[in-house]
């Protein structure tokens, strides 16, 4: 699947390059004419950024599900360690598809079903104890997905051997195994459904590419809105709330993403990289295609006397540096290194203003969602 994808990506990259060169030639011939081929940008975004990200995530969910079956069939330390690594890999890859909550993902409420955190450990324990549950029920939204797996694989035992005993000798071992397998299977099923809708029977890729206006409901409008909505999850839920930004300065370490596994900052860094990829139109193969930055550049969008596209890239770099300064586990850092966490939050806030106010204004995109944090 990856070799075939690479060939397609190379072909599309060449096609996109031709389109860009043609656009540049037109601009040179008539400097006053401002044209941007949004359809080419959407084609690049869909083929190089979105679909490959979903393909990677789908592969990762398949690996996770296979290792869950392997571990639950014969729980031991080596299988648990392998499963924990697969969990980290699939959780990081999720961060790259989280911003695409429109079309097929929106239809299945993917973000809500996959990554509602913090998880409800009381509900998880009740489900395991009962042995019967409805994972589609609203009451179980925070008792499944990656946050629940985080608890089941890292948080229910102090040592590896204690964790293994929960899946072998514990009175609830059989039910816990079934619950773990059900959660993993649901994630893999949702990933398969969304990927198939983009590339298979649903052919949403064609719908996404063809809907090349800028009005509410257009693909560019959906992309910019969900980029911002998801970026607020990074700023607020992954960093701000745990550091006390919405609790009068009182840190809430148990609110961090990946609380039990302790790799919250790996997830945050991946999330920021996902936003940069969307902004640049840069796929996971490393090809920098037609993106929102090119759109802003062609429009000559200004920011304090400089190019807005340059200002956004510079702020992305500052946010990345600030996030990298925070050590894991973040649950400790929000308590013991609050100044470092606050500095990162400030850089993310500055980037949000550029993403949410300056960029949509220049592109003529209306932000249609509402938040509750006063941005």
């Amino acid at each position: 699947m990856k070799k075939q994808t690479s060939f397609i990506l190379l072909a599309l990259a060449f096609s996109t390059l031709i389109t860009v060169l043609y656009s540049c030639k037109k601009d040179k011939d008539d400097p006053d004419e401002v044209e941007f081929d949004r359809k080419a940008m959407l084609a690049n975004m869909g083929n190089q950024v979105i679909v490959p990200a979903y393909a990677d995530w789908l592969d990762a969910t398949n690996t996770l599900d296979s290792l869950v079956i392997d571990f639950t069939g014969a729980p031991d330390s080596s299988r648990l360690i392998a499963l924990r690594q697969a969990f980290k890999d699939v959780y990081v890859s999720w961060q790259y598809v989280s911003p695409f909550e429109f079309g097929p993902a929106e239809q299945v409420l993917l973000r809500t079903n996959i990554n509602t955190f913090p998880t409800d450990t009381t509900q998880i324990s009740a489900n395991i104890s009962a042995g019967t549950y409805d994972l589609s029920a609203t009451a179980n939204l925070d008792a499944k997905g990656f946050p629940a797996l985080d608890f089941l694989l890292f948080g229910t035992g102090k040592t590896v051997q204690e964790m293994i005993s929960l899946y072998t000798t514990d009175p609830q071992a059989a039910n816990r195994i079934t619950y773990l397998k059900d959660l993993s299977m649901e994630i893999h099923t949702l990933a398969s459904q969304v990927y198939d809708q983009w590339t298979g029977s649903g052919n949403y890729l064609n719908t996404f590419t063809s809907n090349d206006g800028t009005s509410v409901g257009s693909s560019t409008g959906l992309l910019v809105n969900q980029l911002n909505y998801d970026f607020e999850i990074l700023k607020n839920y992954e960093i701000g709330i745990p550091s006390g930004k919405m609790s009068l300065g009182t840190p809430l370490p148990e609110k961090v993403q990946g609380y039990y596994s302790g790799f919250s900052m790996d997830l945050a860094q991946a999330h920021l990289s996902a936003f940069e990829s969307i902004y640049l139109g840069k796929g996971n193969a490393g090809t920098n295609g037609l993106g929102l930055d090119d759109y802003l550049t062609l429009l000559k969008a200004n920011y304090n006397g400089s190019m807005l596209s340059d200002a956004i890239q510079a702020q992305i770099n500052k946010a990345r540096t600030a996030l990298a300064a925070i050590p894991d586990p973040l649950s400790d850092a929000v308590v013991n290194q609050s100044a470092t966490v606050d500095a990162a939050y400030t850089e993310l806030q500055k980037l949000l203003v550029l993403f949410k106010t300056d960029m949509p204004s220049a592109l003529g995109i209306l932000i249609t969602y509402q938040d509750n944090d006063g941005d």
Side-chain angles (χ1 to χ4, degrees), residues 245 318-319 322-323 326 338-349:
K245 296 303 178 188
K318 289 180 180 178
L323 286 176
I326 303 174
S338 58
T340 305
V341 179
D342 288 348
Y345 179 82
T346 298
E347 297 303 335
L348 291 174
Q349 176 64 37

Side-chain angles (χ1 to χ4, degrees), residues 322-354:
L323 286 176
I326 303 174
D328 264 326
L330 177 60
S331 54
D332 286 346
V334 296
V335 176
N336 300 314
Q337 299 192 44
S338 58
T340 305
V341 179
D342 288 348
Y345 179 82
T346 298
E347 297 303 335
L348 291 174
Q349 176 64 37
K350 291 177 181 177
L351 182 54
L352 176 63
V353 173
L354 294 171

Side-chain angles (χ1 to χ4, degrees), residues 24-312:
C24 290
K25 184 176 183 303
K26 289 187 67 177
D27 294 340
K28 186 176 181 180
D29 293 341
D30 183 0
D32 294 326
E33 183 181 3
V34 178
E35 292 184 0
F36 184 78
D37 192 344
R38 279 191 298 274
K39 191 168 185 176
M41 180 189 74
L42 294 171
N44 175 67
M45 201 71 71
N47 286 285
Q48 286 207 60
V49 181
I50 299 174
V51 169
Y54 273 125
D56 283 353
W57 183 51
L58 176 59
D59 284 346
T61 65
N62 186 48
T63 299
L64 176 76
D65 204 44
S66 296
L67 291 179
V68 164
I69 293 172
D70 188 43
F71 170 71
T72 54
D76 64 18
S77 59
S78 63
R79 289 182 174 87
L80 177 60
I81 291 170
L83 177 55
R84 283 176 166 180
Q85 182 59 51
F87 170 73
K88 180 178 181 180
D89 293 342
V90 72
Y91 209 168
V92 168
S93 69
W94 157 255
Q95 298 293 75
Y96 286 88
V97 300
S98 180
F100 306 130
E101 188 80 353
F102 48 82
E106 184 180 24
Q107 290 174 4
V108 298
L109 300 176
L110 188 64
R111 188 190 287 136
T112 303
N113 277 298
I114 292 295
N115 197 31
T116 297
F117 66 92
T119 198
D120 186 341
T121 59
T122 300
Q123 183 66 34
I124 292 172
S125 297
N127 287 342
I128 291 173
S129 180
T132 58
Y133 37 80
D134 178 6
L135 292 180
S136 66
T138 302
N140 282 322
L141 286 176
D142 53 2
K144 62 178 186 176
F146 291 130
L149 290 181
D150 184 51
F151 172 67
L152 290 172
L153 297 178
F154 292 87
T156 51
K158 294 180 180 179
T159 67
V160 168
Q161 289 305 317
E162 286 175 339
M163 177 65 71
I164 291 171
S165 70
L166 293 171
Y167 292 91
T168 52
T169 58
D170 186 85
Q172 300 291 336
N175 285 0
R176 187 171 287 104
I177 284 174
T178 300
Y179 197 67
L180 180 64
K181 292 166 70 174
D182 286 347
L183 297 191
S184 176
M185 182 182 296
E186 184 187 50
I187 292 171
H188 181 54
T189 299
L190 287 170
S192 299
Q193 289 176 353
V194 173
Y195 181 76
D196 183 62
Q197 284 298 306
W198 269 93
T199 63
S201 58
N203 198 15
Y204 185 76
L205 179 58
N206 181 62
T207 301
F208 177 78
T209 304
S210 302
N211 187 12
D212 61 348
T214 58
S215 60
V216 174
S218 66
S219 293
T220 303
L222 293 172
L223 189 67
V224 171
N225 268 274
Q226 283 304 311
L227 181 154
N228 276 287
Y229 188 95
D230 209 55
F231 188 83
E232 297 208 52
I233 292 177
L234 168 60
K235 182 183 77 74
N236 295 329
Y237 290 90
E238 296 179 28
I239 304 296
I241 290 175
S243 64
K245 296 303 178 188
M246 298 180 188
S247 52
L248 301 176
T250 301
L252 302 172
E254 72 280 5
K255 301 287 189 182
V256 304
Q257 185 178 218
Y259 175 66
Y260 298 98
S261 52
F263 54 82
S264 309
M265 295 314 302
D266 287 327
L267 295 171
Q269 290 276 12
H271 214 172
L272 180 62
S273 294
F275 298 119
E276 184 179 33
S277 296
I278 297 169
Y279 175 66
L280 296 176
K282 185 177 181 180
N284 56 7
T287 303
N288 189 341
L290 209 54
L292 296 169
D293 63 326
D294 300 297
Y295 197 173
L296 292 174
T297 298
L298 190 66
L299 292 172
K300 299 178 180 178
N302 183 276
Y303 179 78
N304 292 337
S306 300
M307 296 292 286
L308 175 59
S309 56
D310 293 338
I312 291 176

